Amino acid sequence: LNSYFTPVIGNEVTTSFGHINGFPMREAQIPNYHETNWVKLADDIRFHGAKVVILNHPRWKKYDVFDDLHFNTLTGERDTYTRLPFDGMELANSGALKSDPLQMFRDWFAFLNYGEKIQAVGSSDSHGVREIVGQGRMYLRSSTDDPAKSSIDESCENFLAGRSSISLGMFADVLVENRFAPGAIVPVTNTQVQLKFRVAAPGWVTPRRALVFLNGVLVAERAITSPEGKPLSEQIEFTISAPKQDAHLVCVALGDGVKEPFWPTEENYTLAAINPVFLDADNDGVYRSPRETAKIILSRTEKNLDAQWNALGEVDDSIAAQMLSLIYKDANATAKGELRERLQKSASARPVFGKFLSLVSATEK
């Protein structure tokens, strides 16, 4: 069958603390699945040949990896493991879907905001004939249209560079400023950013909404009109305000679930999403995450709470959350109390302040 596609040997390494995929792998080479530190395990998987390492279904109902880590969904912080050793994370696993289609995206956005470079992954997790192979999937850029001539090295390179999108029933792609695709760093030279979000679907899938997120914050939304029972290929144009600081841009399409027995979805939705395009707001050729931006801004305030508070008013919620985390960790008891008072007074006007307070309170109990 090699004349029809390019097979890749991989391994789902099943451990006591989660499932991790690696590919390509050398035959008959098994990583140490008894390892209890996922940084060491990921390193071992790479030692056995893998160029791509993926964290599988981290919110799986049988084992929630993030709960075990006390993962902070606002800032991306966690109790253990100083670095996230994965290249990708499953957001659309058609065999382990969450009821909320955006739950895994919020987790992913938190990691991106913290500064992790981790790609969104779609998969079908098909271990047998009961699951639909390819219902959840990932599309990678390729220099060939012939699946039998696909290069594994090129596919891995494009995976790591974010030149990809994920799918659960539909396809998505984007062009920013008419030329920048997923994975690219976009110089921001105007007060607005233009993007063309392409959504395509077969006749049995019905896309409904197109969403645009900057640093995980919804900044634009549009309804999609799908012809009943017919295929769709639509280019949806958005014009958004350019961010004041660097930001990652992600487009998501959401649609109805499928109940027909030839392609039933586990939950009542379908989706597609692109991996990030990175907006370089200061046009210096470098993208900085919200966490890195927060550190730079705070370095100019000389630990003065009034200056820090004023700076919070000049940034979006994702950067503000990172700033609050850094300020709070570095503050003494008196300064923490004063900061909490200010946050409580302003929480109704800015919900991210209230959310930060709730997480701090839960952590300190």
Side-chain angles (χ1 to χ4, degrees):
L1 295 179
N2 283 6
S3 61
Y4 297 99
F5 62 87
T6 301
V8 184
I9 296 173
N11 190 339
E12 180 175 31
V13 184
T14 302
T15 75
S16 61
F17 57 89
H19 297 182
I20 301 168
N21 263 19
F23 67 86
M25 303 286 282
R26 294 189 289 270
E27 286 190 77
Q29 296 285 319
I30 301 175
N32 179 17
Y33 57 91
H34 296 295
E35 177 58 65
T36 57
N37 181 302
W38 71 9
V39 172
K40 292 181 180 179
L41 176 60
D43 289 344
D44 190 42
I45 293 172
R46 296 183 201 282
F47 176 77
H48 287 88
K51 295 182 178 180
V52 171
V53 179
I54 298 168
L55 177 61
N56 297 347
H57 46 68
R59 295 282 190 187
W60 193 29
K61 60 186 176 183
K62 294 184 180 180
Y63 186 84
D64 192 315
V65 175
F66 293 161
D67 274 355
D68 201 43
L69 291 176
H70 300 111
F71 173 58
N72 185 321
T73 56
L74 181 64
T75 64
E77 297 167 295
R78 55 269 183 194
D79 284 355
T80 54
Y81 306 116
T82 55
R83 66 181 172 94
L84 198 67
F86 309 111
D87 304 305
M89 180 176 85
E90 287 183 345
L91 302 194
N93 181 321
S94 54
L97 294 176
K98 308 303 293 182
S99 58
D100 178 354
L102 294 177
Q103 179 179 352
M104 295 306 305
F105 284 87
R106 288 190 288 271
D107 290 338
W108 180 47
F109 291 150
F111 280 126
L112 293 176
N113 289 345
Y114 191 75
E116 305 287 2
K117 188 177 182 182
I118 187 165
Q119 308 300 336
V121 174
S123 75
S124 55
D125 207 350
S126 303
H127 287 254
V129 296
R130 292 173 300 172
E131 300 90 5
I132 299 173
V133 177
Q135 188 175 52
R137 61 177 66 183
M138 188 172 187
Y139 289 97
L140 295 164
R141 296 272 176 196
S142 176
S143 58
T144 177
D145 287 334
D146 186 344
K149 296 179 181 178
S150 177
S151 162
I152 296 173
D153 286 344
E154 181 191 36
S155 295
C156 291
E157 179 184 338
N158 285 334
F159 182 109
L160 297 172
R163 303 183 189 109
S164 58
S165 66
I166 65 171
S167 168
L168 178 67
M170 57 183 97
F171 172 78
D173 199 5
V174 74
L175 274 181
V176 178
E177 300 296 343
N178 285 316
R179 61 192 182 101
F180 295 100
I185 296 177
V186 180
V188 176
T189 57
N190 297 306
T191 58
Q192 295 181 320
V193 177
Q194 310 289 332
L195 55 140
K196 296 177 180 178
F197 181 33
R198 184 192 168 205
V199 179
W204 64 85
V205 174
T206 308
R208 295 292 188 187
R209 298 161 60 203
L211 313 174
V212 180
F213 295 88
L214 280 184
N215 287 346
V217 178
L218 181 65
V219 295
E221 179 176 358
R222 191 166 298 169
I224 302 174
T225 302
S226 298
E228 187 70 29
K230 295 181 180 180
L232 170 79
S233 181
E234 184 173 343
Q235 187 166 266
I236 306 159
E237 296 189 8
F238 289 94
T239 299
I240 61 173
S241 297
K244 295 179 181 178
Q245 290 86 24
D246 291 359
H248 55 81
L249 182 151
V250 171
C251 297
V252 179
L254 297 176
D256 298 343
V258 179
K259 297 180 180 179
E260 285 80 359
F262 61 83
W263 212 84
T265 52
E266 187 178 70
E267 295 289 344
N268 191 30
Y269 61 83
T270 47
L271 64 79
I274 63 158
N275 267 299
V277 178
F278 301 97
L279 304 184
D280 176 17
D282 55 8
N283 205 9
D284 66 351
V286 178
Y287 165 75
R288 294 177 179 82
S289 70
R291 183 94 175 170
E292 188 176 358
T293 299
K295 289 178 179 179
I296 293 171
I297 293 172
L298 289 176
S299 69
R300 302 171 186 149
T301 63
E302 299 181 351
K303 298 185 179 180
N304 179 281
L305 185 55
D306 287 334
Q308 292 170 338
W309 188 257
N310 290 335
L312 283 167
E314 299 297 321
V315 299
D316 70 20
D317 284 355
S318 62
I319 298 173
Q322 300 296 334
M323 290 174 64
L324 287 171
S325 172
L326 293 165
I327 293 168
Y328 201 81
K329 283 184 177 181
D330 198 38
N332 58 31
T334 301
K336 285 181 178 178
E338 185 178 346
L339 178 60
R340 282 197 296 266
E341 287 182 12
R342 294 191 184 202
L343 291 172
Q344 286 170 350
K345 291 178 181 178
S346 303
S348 59
R350 196 165 184 188
V352 69
F353 290 171
K355 188 172 183 181
F356 179 81
L357 272 176
S358 297
L359 289 171
V360 166
S361 300
T363 303
E364 293 181 345
K365 283 183 179 178

